[in-house]
Amino acid sequence: MMTVTANSVFIDNQPVELNGEVNLLTLVRKVGVELPTFCYHSELSIYGACRMCVVEIEGRGIVAACSTPPTPGMRILTNSPRVQRVRRTVLELLLANHERECTTCEKNGNCKLQDLANRFGVRKIRFGERDMKLPIDDSSASIVRDPNKCILCGDCVRMCSEVQGIGILNFANRGSKVQVTPAFNKKMAEVECVNCGQCSAVCPTGALVVKSQVNQAWKALADPSKVVVAQVAPAVRVALGEEFGMEAGQIVTGKVVGALKRLGFDKVFDTCIAADLTIMEETTELIERLEKGIEGPLFTSCCPAWVKYAEHNGSNLLKNLSTCRSPQQMFGSLVKRYWAKELGKEPKDIYVISIMPCTAKKFEAARPEFTVDGVPDVDLVLTTQELSQMIRESGLDFAAVDPDSFDMPFGFTTGAGVIFGASGGVAEAALRAAYEMVTGEVLEQVNFESIRGFAGLKEATVNLNGKEVKVAVVHGLGNAKELLNKLNSGEAKYDFVEVMACPGGCISGAGQPQAVDMNTKKARARGIYHADKLSQLRKSQDNPVVAKFYEKWLQRPNSHEAHETLHTSYSTRARITGEDIELLNSDREHKVDLAVCLGTCCYTKGSYDTLQEFIRQAERNGIKEQLNLHATFCLEGCENSPSVRVNDQIYGGITAERVGTFIQEKVLPELERNKE
Amino acid sequence: MAEAKKVREDALAVPRRRFEKVNEIIARHGKSASALIPILQEVQEEYRYLPEEILTYVAMVMDLPPSTVYGVATFYVQFSLEPKGKYVIKICDGTACHVRGSDPVKEAIRKRVGLKNEKHTTDDLRFTVETVSCLGACGLAPVVMINDQIYGQMTPDAINVILDKILEEEGDVK
Ligand code: SF4
Ligand code: SF4
Ligand code: FES
């Protein structure tokens, strides 16, 4: 029994020594009492709104444990009759306002609300049912939002704004009409959501779920005319086991392959080999830039959520974004372009299913750039969770599945390809390659410890033939945003920057089994680095199969052929859909539509002055009444801002000084033409 | 002729002047998040409501997520995301007014200005009719407020007289 000191509190009459705990919740959990919560997440700020974590303090009554600091001498009851009563009422109220179609809900069996209702034996709800039925939003490629199931805990709101720095979702309205929604009640596909899925990963209910495509997978597997091939991303192999009672971080590569074969996949391949290929291409790109002395860091492009973020946030970034496709897309491209031929098949006869930790990969696979003659390079993306769903459906006992090995040729990888699964992995793999490519010497010590782990910003400096090359690694788009600000202000300078949208990298992807805490994520990262350590080969440039690919298909890194197959291009995207702002409205028969972009890039480049100048000059030229002048939010021409649109034609670089000539050269002739 | 030209010129200039005003308002309040509410108040005075595209613009200039601006704009009753009429008629439905018959007064107003179903604003943007919880003039119950003017002890007949007068001023003799 513990002794009582001046620094003790009493939890259910047991003395407990305080040790710097900031709130009662962590303290109570430390002594082995699992207080229920909805709105508490160790990675997010404390909100204290769900009232699920209540405890009773003698002399003070009921308080929310997550937002109450402990003070010495406090007497805390975690399961008193009052606590029980309040908890039950809170649960019943939440359930009364929640659509209760548990059996058909995507979160069934994985839902915190259901779980707690069950744990506290709620069998009857004393309050009426909700009478509103709001529309479900399935516009996004990755996430389905059902506001009828939202319990307003705000977890998604804080995840998207605090960790991702974006703020797509927020509370709107007041009183009984409160909702968590994107701006103006728009659909997820109409705003700058990057499909990272982190909001759905923290949502305790079925209000935000990953779009399931399991049925499409079954359909393809049952289609005899298709050769169905799987590619498995690195992070899957250290997490899938969790769904079947194994420890986090346990490497289950063999079992994943075995299970996929038994589900009926014709071939099972490893995305890691495409990661090795990515390193060959990206490192070559990096070295070229260093040699040419191109300004600004090269940003990695493996993470589709980050790529979309960059597209929404502008031009400066895009020209520094590596043109390499992600490993998923490199794989798809190789399979459909070359491997199909070797098999004597058409691309459409091969059906590529990726098994990914990631929800944004669904969006990436659907990007039009990655579809050739109507055939997508990657036909379908399933998350780790969706795969576990298929395994369960099939009745396979995962623990008992015989391990199998990946098929060739896309089955041989190096440790460098595997560490892509954790934040810092891409940069580390690139450094392993860059060193040898530039110096021509063998790199003995391949571990770059300083860019591993969970710190928000990680750095490394490597000496390449006398040049100090500076590398930064960030994960979580909020961290990326901070770094971008520093790069823009000149406060920071790097040559190479790795960005992963999910905190911790792909191991924490929103498609992974729900990770309750940091320890799970850390264990997965350890699993990844362990797999690397066990690999015979640890550098992408040593992968003999990759070398074969170059010999057979691609010539050499960054060759014309490699560019066609493995690289891509980007274009800027509007941040939100919506109407233009009307400034002048002409009712003349002969008129010109003129729109000046006031989107973020253009605005920061002075497009407001451009706009004012247009009005002034239009007056001077006497054409004001013939102008339909609008301010618009993004003409998606941010590379060359400020952008202006005349009828359907977009022009870039129209600063206020250029307006006069622009009117003479483009607007007046257009008006003349209209008259003819 | 000259008259018509002027009217047209004014019409052309109004949206532009308003938009210039938005910039001026933001510049005056600064771009810190705490300035958002006063900015929205003034923008609403300018436009009589908060148009979506203007809110998007405000969010962009202030470097806030549009969802935050939308959240604030929908939280306070004083803000409206829908255009309001030239005459905003508020009918108090606090306890005192309700007991003294604010409902029939409301119905009379809605009928006179031609509002049906769930609508609050007439299609010609002339009238907006709303109920509010308490105008703080319970002694005069039931109370109706038209723009800034308070009318006490209203009855359906009394309000019709007032509305007739407004409609007449608007050149709508029915
Ligand atoms: S998917 Fe990511 S970007 Fe989109 S709303 Fe959720 S957290 Fe925000
Ligand atoms: S959508 Fe989910 S995470 Fe967001 S507030 Fe609602 S219940 Fe909470
Ligand atoms: S967890 Fe404490 S109030 Fe929600």
Side-chain angles (χ1 to χ4, degrees), chain A residues 483-510:
Chain A
L483 181 74
L484 289 175
N485 287 341
K486 282 193 197 147
L487 285 167
N488 285 339
S489 71
E491 194 184 318
K493 226 172 137 58
Y494 296 102
D495 301 294
F496 187 50
V497 176
E498 176 200 300
V499 186
M500 295 292 157
C502 290
C506 309
I507 48 162
S508 317

Side-chain angles (χ1 to χ4, degrees), chain A residues 318-572:
Chain A
L318 290 187
K319 59 180 194 291
N320 290 334
L321 196 57
S322 163
T323 56
C324 288
R325 298 183 190 185
S326 74
Q328 155 168 292
Q329 295 306 140
M330 285 198 181
F331 175 91
S333 182
L334 287 182
V335 163
K336 298 254 165 141
R337 224 178 140 101
Y338 304 113
W339 187 72
K341 237 180 245 156
E342 289 193 354
L343 233 59
K345 298 261 177 200
E346 295 286 315
K348 67 168 175 27
D349 301 327
I350 316 268
Y351 197 87
V352 175
I353 300 184
S354 314
I355 315 295
M356 294 281 145
C358 175
T359 56
K361 289 280 168 193
K362 288 179 186 274
F363 173 84
E364 178 181 62
R367 289 177 72 118
E369 306 90 284
F370 301 140
T371 287
V372 183
D373 301 330
V375 183
D377 288 346
V378 172
D379 295 270
L380 193 68
V381 178
L382 298 178
T383 61
T384 314
Q385 279 202 42
E386 285 170 271
L387 175 59
S388 81
Q389 164 73 29
M390 290 179 77
I391 294 172
R392 267 195 299 270
E393 253 182 74
S394 71
L396 276 181
D397 176 359
F398 186 73
V401 168
D402 282 332
D404 205 336
S405 49
F406 284 117
D407 290 302
M408 293 306 279
F410 304 100
F412 189 87
T413 179
T414 69
V418 179
I419 56 176
F420 264 59
S423 159
V426 178
E428 181 165 345
L431 286 177
R432 290 179 191 177
Y435 185 87
E436 295 197 349
M437 286 183 188
V438 173
T439 64
E441 288 164 25
V442 175
L443 180 69
E444 300 291 349
Q445 210 323 56
V446 298
N447 296 342
F448 290 83
E449 298 282 350
S450 71
I451 48 176
R452 296 183 181 182
F454 288 81
L457 167 71
K458 299 173 283 183
E459 299 173 286
T461 308
V462 189
N463 189 309
L464 298 181
N465 266 2
K467 177 165 169 43
E468 296 282 319
V469 174
K470 284 187 75 186
V471 177
V473 172
V474 283
H475 52 117
L477 292 172
N479 289 327
K481 191 175 172 184
E482 230 171 85
L483 181 74
L484 289 175
N485 287 341
K486 282 193 197 147
L487 285 167
N488 285 339
S489 71
E491 194 184 318
K493 226 172 137 58
Y494 296 102
D495 301 294
F496 187 50
V497 176
E498 176 200 300
V499 186
M500 295 292 157
C502 290
C506 309
I507 48 162
S508 317
Q512 297 278 64
Q514 232 164 20
V516 262
D517 54 18
M518 244 356 236
N519 290 339
T520 309
K521 296 176 181 172
K522 284 186 178 153
R524 289 177 191 161
R526 273 198 304 277
I528 289 275
Y529 288 110
H530 191 63
D532 169 38
K533 211 154 110 197
L534 295 182
S535 303
Q536 287 169 314
L537 301 175
R538 301 188 58 193
K539 303 167 197 154
S540 302
Q541 63 273 31
D542 294 346
N543 189 329
V545 185
V546 167
K548 261 255 174 56
F549 290 165
Y550 279 112
E551 204 183 294
K552 254 200 318 193
W553 299 329
L554 301 162
Q555 295 146 13
R556 74 205 121 64
N558 282 10
S559 70
H560 178 71
E561 190 71 20
H563 257 274
E564 291 286 300
T565 316
L566 308 175
H567 291 249
T568 184
S569 59
Y570 309 103
S571 42
T572 44

